[in-house]
Amino acid sequence: MNRLKVLIADDDPNVREIIRLYFDKQNYELFEAKDGQEAVETVERDSPDIVILDVMMPRMDGFEACRQIQKKCDIPIIMLTARGEEFDRVLGLELGADDYVTKPFSPRELTARIKAIFRRMQPKKEDAGEEAADELSFEGIKININRREVIVDEQTISLRPKEFDLLVFLAKSPGHVFTREQLLEQVWGYDFIGDIRTVDVHVKKIRTKLNGREGECIKTVWGVGYKLEVDK
């Protein structure tokens, strides 16, 4: 089995050293970058499987690095943000990051986030007789769960791992209203207390990618949460 290739971009050598020592025990292949520019260059040269970006870095900050990496390839990104900086977290998600971890953090937490991302990206093994249940269709939209593929009006669109999982979760229970807390628990799978705007950001991005079908599929239930509504 190939080792997971992880890029950590942080201008603090102590942070990189702590992560390196812990990731060695996890059998991860670690690449390091001291700033955003070096991170972008490393992605182009070494093609890591996942990128961890600190927000505050010299030459190029994590936000700009995230933008440039997203233009070049579809790769999972985790942002490292200062504790309490909600703006940083929301902006990182809007730029295409899959997750964020607030400083100070433990290497164990970071590893859990990485594993959670790749667990969601892994296709589920289903029996051949259940293949039909792996496709959901509504409102001109088709979702193939095994292939993690979304087709809108005969065109394939690209969703980030959590965007896809959130859409599938809602699509499996059309008409059911879920609170943001329920969606965080079911889709993200770990404690996100106090960060419910994460759901709002992902819903907004899904709506935009579904060919601008604003409000046609994922409905906001004010004061409660969201539901996927399909015309009968």
Side-chain angles (χ1 to χ4, degrees):
M1 182 177 179
N2 294 331
R3 298 172 67 192
L4 187 70
K5 298 166 63 177
V6 182
L7 167 62
I8 171 66
D10 195 305
D11 61 326
D12 188 338
N14 293 324
V15 171
R16 300 198 308 272
E17 176 70 7
I18 291 171
I19 293 176
R20 184 184 64 78
L21 292 174
Y22 190 84
F23 280 9
D24 278 347
K25 298 178 182 178
Q26 302 297 315
N27 199 31
Y28 292 167
E29 183 178 358
L30 187 65
F31 299 86
E32 299 181 31
K34 298 183 294 295
D35 55 59
Q37 181 62 46
E38 190 173 331
V40 174
E41 295 169 356
T42 304
V43 168
E44 294 176 336
R45 182 182 65 248
D46 298 308
S47 300
D49 299 306
I50 190 167
V51 177
I52 303 166
L53 292 174
D54 186 31
V55 170
M56 300 301 297
M57 292 187 291
R59 285 214 296 171
M60 180 188 296
D61 64 23
F63 294 139
E64 182 58 30
C66 182
R67 288 190 189 96
Q68 294 200 20
I69 291 172
Q70 288 293 304
K71 290 179 182 178
K72 300 175 185 296
C73 58
D74 185 18
I75 181 174
I77 295 175
I78 296 177
M79 304 293 294
L80 300 180
T81 70
R83 172 169 288 181
E85 294 297 331
E86 182 181 17
F87 172 77
D88 287 356
R89 298 196 297 267
V90 174
L91 179 57
L93 294 170
E94 289 179 341
L95 291 174
D98 295 274
D99 205 346
Y100 61 84
V101 175
T102 56
K103 290 183 172 181
F105 62 90
S106 70
R108 173 180 289 184
E109 178 188 7
L110 187 57
T111 301
R113 301 295 180 95
I114 291 172
K115 290 180 178 179
I117 287 176
F118 284 98
R119 188 164 56 246
R120 289 189 294 270
M121 294 172 63
Q122 189 69 27
K124 295 181 180 179
K125 296 181 180 180
E126 304 287 352
D127 293 335
E130 298 178 357
E131 186 173 352
D134 293 333
E135 185 169 283
L136 304 171
S137 300
F138 58 93
E139 303 282 338
I141 300 171
K142 294 181 180 180
I143 306 172
N144 187 291
I145 298 175
N146 272 354
R147 295 201 299 267
R148 300 187 67 85
E149 182 179 74
V150 179
I151 300 175
V152 179
D153 297 331
E154 307 305 323
Q155 292 188 341
T156 301
I157 65 171
S158 177
L159 293 181
R160 305 293 295 169
K162 283 184 182 174
E163 295 167 8
F164 180 87
D165 293 336
L166 179 57
L167 178 61
V168 168
F169 183 79
L170 291 170
K172 284 184 174 180
S173 302
H176 186 95
V177 180
F178 294 96
T179 67
R180 291 170 176 82
E181 290 81 2
Q182 288 174 323
L183 293 172
L184 286 172
E185 179 181 352
Q186 295 298 321
V187 178
W188 276 256
Y190 43 81
D191 188 4
F192 253 78
I193 295 176
D195 298 308
I196 59 175
R197 286 191 62 187
T198 301
V199 176
D200 300 334
V201 171
H202 281 74
V203 168
K204 178 181 177 181
K205 293 173 72 174
I206 294 171
R207 286 171 169 169
T208 300
K209 291 181 178 182
L210 297 183
N211 285 354
R213 292 166 178 250
E214 181 73 25
E216 289 187 15
C217 297
I218 301 180
K219 299 282 189 180
T220 300
V221 181
W222 297 108
V224 183
Y226 295 101
K227 67 177 178 178
L228 187 137
E229 189 168 280
V230 179
D231 290 339
K232 295 182 180 179

